[in-house]
Amino acid sequence: MSETRTTCPYCGVGCGVIAQVDNNGVTVRGDPEHPANFGRLCVKGAALAETTGLSGRLLQPMVDGATASWSQALDTAGERLRAIIAQHGPHAVAFYASGQLLTEDYYAANKLMKGFIGAANIDTNSRLCMSSAVTGYKRALGADVVPCSYEDIECSDLVVLVGSNAAWTHPVLYQRLVQARSANPSMKVVVIDPRRTATCDIADLHLSLLPGSDAGLFVGLLNRIVAEGDARSEFDDAAETFAIARDWNLERVAQFCGLDVADVVTFYDWFTRASTAITLYTMGINQSASGSDKCNAIINVHLASGKFGREGCGPFSLTGQPNAMGGREVGGLATQLAAHMNFEPQDLARLARFWGTERLAQTPGLMAVDLFEAIGKGDVKAVWIMGTNPAVSLPDSHAVCQALAACPLVIVSEVVADTDTSRYAHIRFPAQAWGEKNGTVTNSERRISRQRAFLTAPGETRPDWWIVAQMAKQLGFAQAFGWQSAWEVFCEHAALSGYENRGERAFDIGALAELTHQQWDEMTPVRWPVSTGSSTLNLWQGWRGNQRLRLVAVAPQGMKTTCDALYPLVLNSGRIRDQWHTMTRTGTISRLMQHINEPLVEIAPEDAGRFKLNEGALCRVNSPRGVMVGRVTIHPGQRPGCVFTSMHWNNRFARQGRVNALVSPVCDPDSGQPESKQTAVRIMAWQPRWQGELFCRSTLTLPGFVHWWRKSADNALRYTLAGDSDIFVWLQQYCVAQGWQLQLAQWERGLNLLAWHDGNLMLGFWSAATPPQIDDEAILCAFMQKPENAQARHALLGGKSGGIPADKGVTICSCFNVGEKAITQAIANGCDTVQALGQALRCGSNCGSCIPELKALLAQKITLND
Ligand SMILES: Nc1nc2c(c(=O)[nH]1)N[C@H]1C(S)=C(S)[C@@H](COP(=O)(O)OP(=O)(O)OC[C@H]3O[C@@H](n4cnc5c(=O)[nH]c(N)nc54)[C@H](O)[C@@H]3O)O[C@H]1N2
Ligand SMILES: Nc1nc2c(c(=O)[nH]1)N[C@H]1C(S)=C(S)[C@@H](COP(=O)(O)OP(=O)(O)OC[C@H]3O[C@@H](n4cnc5c(=O)[nH]c(N)nc54)[C@H](O)[C@@H]3O)O[C@H]1N2
Ligand code: SF4
Ligand SMILES: [Mo]
């Protein structure tokens, strides 16, 4: 048995994980000594062991669809890249990287592109995520510094969450907040979000503002701070900023934001009177065509009110991905250089000196959305995609897919074999996954932690930094990429951060540059700066030559999209509790699929009535760019006029489940971040002729006339199907072609087809005019056993006497697999608190992420009794 301390590869909270490997396989638990989580894990972290299997992994390099050796794949990729660079120049080549790469991988990719290929066309998925926050900090503070820590949240009197559903997206941090709030009765929590989310569970005030209107609220708050006469005004541009704010009186704010004046006043009173206040903001702010301004509107109120640079205070942009912050440190974005340097003469000269290169890119490269447009136009002819799935996550996915399909050279470094993006790849490199690779990540509070390998790397997988270094050799730059291990890359990165840095660059971990390999292996989590000189940040002092801090004059703008008679609703998109992005790792884990297993379209009761949509009905959501198909769920927490769906579904898990097929690529001019949160759409109910549930043993390629949603279940795959044309002929032909025996029958609500091989159930299909409510557990048991006797087979056929009762409802508690029906039963039997439910069923007693839902079920019961 062995135990390894490592870090969770999902969200930016950056929880420490202890992985244990023994004869029974891998188990994980929270690291009690890690300062991000002190032993806690959320359900995604707790399910990490289940992701370490090899099914679906990319284990071999591939060239033009055939497996290849590393030397063949590298030779071919090198040859094709060299040819494109020779003919069209370095600007015809681009990298598209990810905040899920480790710092060492990221550093290597950035160095190769900017330092040696000589163009700055390396951008990353952080453009879709953090770039507005980066722009906001750089404009105000002179550097990309997050001026807060998790402890600041715990000791603040007022915690404001804006555009953040932290209960689901930063669950362990949210649980720290829940605990701090119950320990400190004078703490208040305000949530600002058009939707009432699970995060509102602990809110003293929820401001359900109009989508996109946040800047108005914060500029109005600045007005109030100025009006009270104690605003700090020693900052650059203070006079201009205050002047604009004076036009934003309460009535104007309330109207602009669609809020009651009284609620706005409450928020302003609390903020101005609190001795400490901290604002946490994420995608509801950043993902906007004026996201940078929104970030500055938030930073302005903290600077002007003096709620900055001291305990319990500050504008705290939470990072999403596990290493979004590391990417910012290495200069992963096309608009910056490594180690917090910029495209300015001194920085360019310094970096060229350090890297020993004469080819350093001199001007910024293309930002993500522009980059894919340039690929579409043929200006960029080769793209290397590492650790991200742009065919799903970039806006306007049809255009992105068309660009990739037309691109002469697409290289993809991936851990899984089949993604929406890798379908377009000419060359595929198999990367090592979490648990196999070594390196570092930096979390939201600037804390650097080690990810450590505890499994042998399978097949031909390699670390991402190694693949980059090999490619550098192919391109003739072997000397600058001679590293033998991730440790050497880390030390070079640390040395660069301290290089000629006399306090001008806030990111300084120069003191770590001399770590021995063993010291690096044993490194405990540390917050930067860790410099050889002073290692604290003087937050009130701007960086880059001690220039002053700045207020940014913000003229509030609304969303860019406009609703009209044809597209009357605003579509909002984001995350659900148990899935991670494009589902490549979480979508195949049964227990993470049980909470929400389809793309749900949440709509307010008023709108459901207006557009004749019933709970559970299928619907088509259209924008001028595309369509997605989802299932309606009526949610009183939706603001009328707004709908919400998740960003997760994609062509591997559904037909027409991609929300980005609808989203337009309109971006913030300063940060380049797309407005993923607001798209004008219409919704129409779709009543298919039949709906069905299909269970089988391996993935199916279904015919184009069927809509499908793939769901994972233990020991089988499950597809929910719907269509207008008959599928039975297709299914029968498919089963016969496999050599299976067919059994067809009528059940009480429709048709039923079973396919057998050697007494094993290979495929089962139940259809009806409305969703067939069947007991999937009984069916899954049949997949595991040989249901030889006639009675067992009859039960599967769904005859009236058969054992196909209704299902157990959605899984509310994924930690202990407790379904909604068991919970409502327990409530009916007298459980009237979350604690009582926990004692009866264990639900909610581990990570706590489902407590808001348990409370909602308890409240429903009370309403019924009323
Ligand atoms: N379970 C899970 N957790 C994750 C991830 C995941 O995929 N799954 N991904 C990680 C990553 S990379 C990221 S970036 C973070 C994102 O974390 P969050 O930003 O918390 O997540 P989202 O669901 O994208 O959006 C947050 C909220 O913004 C709200 N919103 C939409 N429009 C507006 C608006 O105009 N104003 C305001 N104030 N709010 C608005 C939405 O209703 C939503 O509730 O999550 C991280 N954690
Ligand atoms: N409409 C809409 N769109 C959005 C958002 C939204 O809220 N709404 N959110 C945006 C945000 S904030 C983000 S961060 C993006 C996320 O979007 P993506 O980055 O596209 O999503 P992931 O599924 O995390 O993609 C990561 C890929 O890397 C692979 N991978 C995992 N580990 C490794 C590794 O070690 N090495 C390599 N080479 N590959 C690896 C995974 O299998 C997966 O295919 O989506 C953005 N898109
Ligand atoms: S909160 Fe984030 S880092 Fe922590 S276990 Fe959950 S997903 Fe992983
Ligand atoms: Mo993100």
Side-chain angles (χ1 to χ4, degrees), residues 25-82:
V26 181
T27 47
V28 300
R29 63 179 196 277
D31 180 349
E33 282 164 34
H34 197 289
N37 57 321
F38 299 106
R40 274 181 183 272
L41 291 180
C42 77
V43 56
K44 293 185 300 301
L48 271 169
E50 288 138 77
T51 67
T52 55
L54 295 186
S55 121
R57 281 289 297 276
L58 178 68
L59 296 174
Q60 289 273 333
M62 313 265 295
V63 175
D64 298 327
T67 54
S69 68
W70 270 106
S71 67
Q72 284 165 334
L74 289 165
D75 284 351
T76 314
E79 201 176 291
R80 293 184 191 175
L81 273 178
R82 282 196 307 273

Side-chain angles (χ1 to χ4, degrees), residues 69 118 159 216 256 309 311 430 456 521 668 716 785:
S69 68
V159 178
F256 185 80
E311 218 175 55
T456 324
D521 276 340
D668 179 306
Q785 301 149 6

Side-chain angles (χ1 to χ4, degrees), residues 7-17 30 36-37 40-48 150 166 168-174 320 322 443 577 580 847 849:
T7 312
C8 174
Y10 294 124
C11 83
V13 177
C15 297
V17 172
N37 57 321
R40 274 181 183 272
L41 291 180
C42 77
V43 56
K44 293 185 300 301
L48 271 169
Y150 296 162
W168 283 11
T169 55
H170 294 93
V172 166
L173 188 58
Y174 181 78
N443 73 1
R577 198 188 70 192
W580 180 258
C847 81
S849 302

Side-chain angles (χ1 to χ4, degrees), residues 129 283 320-321 575 581:
C129 178
M283 294 311 120
Q321 298 176 91
R575 284 134 181 95
H581 294 164

Side-chain angles (χ1 to χ4, degrees), residues 370-653:
D370 297 339
L371 171 62
F372 279 80
E373 266 172 32
I375 297 172
K377 283 194 222 141
D379 296 341
V380 168
K381 296 180 190 310
V383 60
W384 183 359
I385 297 163
M386 311 174 197
T388 177
N389 195 356
V392 184
S393 52
L394 274 173
D396 201 3
S397 27
H398 291 315
V400 171
C401 291
Q402 270 172 355
L404 286 171
C407 185
L409 178 59
V410 178
I411 305 174
V412 170
S413 298
E414 249 301 336
V415 296
V416 307
D418 192 17
T419 73
D420 286 25
T421 301
S422 63
R423 276 184 48 191
Y424 299 99
H426 303 99
I427 295 173
R428 294 204 245 167
F429 293 136
Q432 286 176 2
W434 182 79
E436 298 157 9
K437 59 197 282 179
N438 273 305
T440 52
V441 289
T442 312
N443 73 1
S444 291
E445 55 164 1
R446 311 193 315 265
R447 194 182 296 281
I448 303 173
S449 298
R450 279 293 317 274
Q451 264 196 26
R452 295 184 178 89
F454 55 88
L455 296 166
T456 324
E460 292 297 315
T461 58
R462 296 286 186 276
D464 285 288
W465 67 265
W466 182 91
I467 307 173
V468 172
Q470 296 305 305
M471 193 62 96
K473 285 179 195 155
Q474 286 285 339
L475 300 176
F477 313 121
Q479 219 190 344
F481 293 83
W483 311 298
Q484 297 301 308
S485 74
W487 158 67
E488 291 171 31
V489 188
F490 178 85
C491 292
E492 183 179 314
H493 158 67
L496 174 58
S497 74
Y499 184 63
E500 297 176 4
N501 187 354
R502 294 165 213 92
E504 295 104 350
R505 285 159 13 233
F507 175 66
D508 186 348
I509 55 165
L512 304 176
E514 304 292 323
L515 292 183
T516 63
H517 201 153
Q518 189 185 344
Q519 284 169 329
W520 186 70
D521 276 340
E522 290 166 359
M523 190 172 123
T524 50
V526 57
R527 288 186 77 207
W528 62 257
V530 209
S531 75
T532 41
S534 150
S535 64
T536 49
L537 288 171
N538 179 352
L539 292 168
W540 283 103
Q541 175 196 318
W543 287 273
R544 306 191 64 73
N546 291 345
Q547 69 192 18
R548 286 194 301 176
L549 304 183
R550 219 178 126 211
L551 297 185
V552 177
V554 170
Q557 296 172 48
M559 56 184 185
K560 279 280 172 292
T561 193
T562 29
C563 293
D564 54 23
L566 210 51
Y567 300 105
L569 294 163
V570 181
L571 176 68
N572 171 7
S573 62
R575 284 134 181 95
I576 60 172
R577 198 188 70 192
D578 293 359
Q579 287 300 331
W580 180 258
H581 294 164
T582 71
M583 306 167 77
T584 61
R585 290 173 294 162
T586 46
T588 52
I589 299 169
S590 174
R591 80 164 144 141
L592 297 183
M593 246 310 178
Q594 309 308 321
H595 178 236
I596 294 176
N597 60 10
E598 289 177 336
L600 296 180
V601 180
E602 286 178 22
I603 186 160
E606 295 87 330
D607 290 323
R610 195 171 144 210
F611 298 100
K612 301 191 175 45
L613 298 163
N614 296 326
E615 177 72 23
L618 291 171
C619 67
R620 287 202 170 91
V621 189
N622 279 86
S623 84
R625 280 168 202 275
V627 62
M628 73 168 277
V629 176
R631 199 177 291 281
V632 172
T633 174
I634 299 171
H635 200 292
Q638 275 300 323
R639 201 188 148 100
C642 301
V643 287
F644 176 85
T645 195
S646 85
M647 61 161 297
H648 305 293
W649 268 266
N650 56 75
N651 288 2
R652 308 274 75 74
F653 287 88

Side-chain angles (χ1 to χ4, degrees), residues 743-763:
Q743 205 181 353
L744 218 84
Q746 191 85 31
W747 65 298
E748 53 183 314
R749 299 190 42 219
L751 273 175
N752 171 207
L753 178 148
L754 302 177
W756 301 93
H757 185 65
D758 271 352
N760 290 311
L761 183 59
M762 304 306 289
L763 182 147

